[in-house]
Amino acid sequence: MLTLFRLVSGWPLALLHGAGGLLGWLTWLASPTYRRRFAENAAQAGYPFATVRPAVAHAGRMAAETPRLWFGPPVPMQWQGTEAVDAAYAARKGVVFLTPHMGCFEITAQGLAARYGPDYGPITVLYRPARQAALAPVIENARRREGLETAPTTLAGVRQMIKALRAGRAVGLLPDQVPPDGMGQWVPFFGKQAYTMTLAARLVLQTGATPMLVWGERLPRGQGFRLRFEPLSEPLSADLDTAVAQINREMERLIRQCPQQYLWGYGRYKTPRPEK
């Protein structure tokens, strides 16, 4: 698997996105369960399939671009809203970057590591260890890069992120990812109860770090990505339950900026799996 990833990593981004778009549609056509979940999740947010149709191809592009991002040469990146990021890093209180399953979330961590790592230390990114044994060494090799550290979805990983924040560094996570049972609470997401992690809110409330929204817009014709940053629309509540619901609303707000690049096929409303 690692050999295959390295081989494909040299392909032009436009070619990978073209192949990925085809892969996305093949997956959509081959899986009735995926089609149903995609349509139901989009409808829950108020979008007919015609509006979010491009998201089918973007899901495939996300998969196809991964070898290039992990093992290939750098890709073009544009930056939007960095004034708020500069100020958050300069405060030395830590930064919690929050991004939904939208666009290219891999590029956000890489970009931040390259731009801010030399002055402010590495960014620590929460990740779920691969369930497929063949993928584990691929991911391990891919994320060994300067300015980027990873933390598993375990108690040890949480402690690692808290330590990084208290040292004035940054962490990144996807708060719309369904956490293991016992690590979240049921909160509305686009008007329907969804099991939602409390970790994102806890990190901010326990450390006093600055929460920051970010997502990586995938540009057309393989032109690269635009990293888009913005602060929360209002300060995060000191009440944990309120803060968790507030973060869900912020994720909704980001997704509505570009629903064509959100992963509507993600099982956002599934019952959480027991933690082992």
Side-chain angles (χ1 to χ4, degrees):
M1 184 67 74
L2 180 58
T3 301
L4 176 62
F5 267 60
R6 290 192 182 280
L7 177 65
V8 177
S9 68
W11 292 11
L13 194 58
L15 178 59
L16 289 170
H17 282 173
L22 177 61
L23 175 64
W25 277 106
L26 289 174
T27 303
W28 187 85
L29 291 170
S31 174
T33 301
Y34 176 64
R35 290 199 301 272
R36 181 175 63 254
R37 185 170 61 231
F38 186 106
E40 289 176 350
N41 288 351
Q44 180 64 41
Y47 294 111
F49 179 74
T51 300
V52 297
R53 179 186 177 96
V56 174
H58 275 288
R61 290 177 185 129
M62 183 195 71
E65 72 198 7
T66 300
R68 171 67 185 269
L69 298 177
W70 282 358
F71 300 109
V75 296
M77 279 184 281
Q78 301 176 16
W79 298 76
Q80 179 177 313
T82 54
E83 297 84 358
V85 183
D86 293 344
Y89 266 109
R92 298 284 184 175
K93 295 181 179 180
V95 190
V96 179
F97 288 100
L98 306 172
T99 182
H101 284 79
M102 175 176 165
C104 179
F105 34 91
E106 187 74 31
I107 197 65
T108 60
Q110 291 188 9
L112 287 165
R115 181 165 178 150
Y116 293 98
D119 293 326
Y120 297 102
I123 179 172
T124 302
V125 179
L126 186 70
Y127 81 102
R128 179 172 292 171
R131 298 181 185 179
Q132 298 84 5
L135 280 178
V138 176
I139 296 175
E140 184 179 350
N141 276 274
R143 290 188 167 144
R144 286 178 182 167
R145 62 177 65 225
E146 189 173 355
L148 180 62
E149 296 181 353
T150 57
T153 52
T154 62
L155 182 58
V158 172
R159 289 172 178 162
Q160 180 183 344
M161 299 182 86
I162 291 175
K163 182 178 180 180
L165 290 171
R166 287 179 173 164
R169 300 198 297 269
V171 304
L173 64 163
L174 283 69
D176 64 338
Q177 181 170 324
V178 179
D181 192 23
M183 299 180 67
Q185 59 191 45
W186 293 95
V187 178
F189 186 71
F190 288 118
K192 181 177 179 179
Q193 293 293 312
Y195 197 66
T196 302
M197 70 165 62
T198 59
L199 177 59
R202 288 182 186 276
L203 289 174
V204 175
L205 298 181
Q206 289 182 20
T207 66
T210 301
M212 184 69 56
L213 306 177
V214 57
W215 72 281
E217 179 184 4
R218 188 175 294 107
L219 300 176
R221 299 181 296 281
Q223 297 177 74
F225 304 90
R226 179 181 294 116
L227 278 61
R228 300 174 57 165
F229 301 89
E230 58 183 282
L232 271 61
S233 57
E234 57 184 2
L236 195 66
S237 171
D239 176 74
L240 179 63
D241 292 346
T242 304
V244 173
Q246 184 180 348
I247 289 175
N248 262 11
R249 292 194 298 272
E250 294 289 351
M251 293 300 100
E252 293 174 11
R253 184 168 65 83
L254 279 190
I255 292 164
R256 293 199 185 281
Q257 292 180 9
C258 188
Q260 296 80 13
Q261 292 197 24
Y262 184 64
L263 292 183
W264 294 107
Y266 177 64
R268 184 64 185 90
Y269 301 103
K270 65 184 178 183
T271 301
R273 62 180 176 85
E275 178 68 353
K276 296 181 179 179

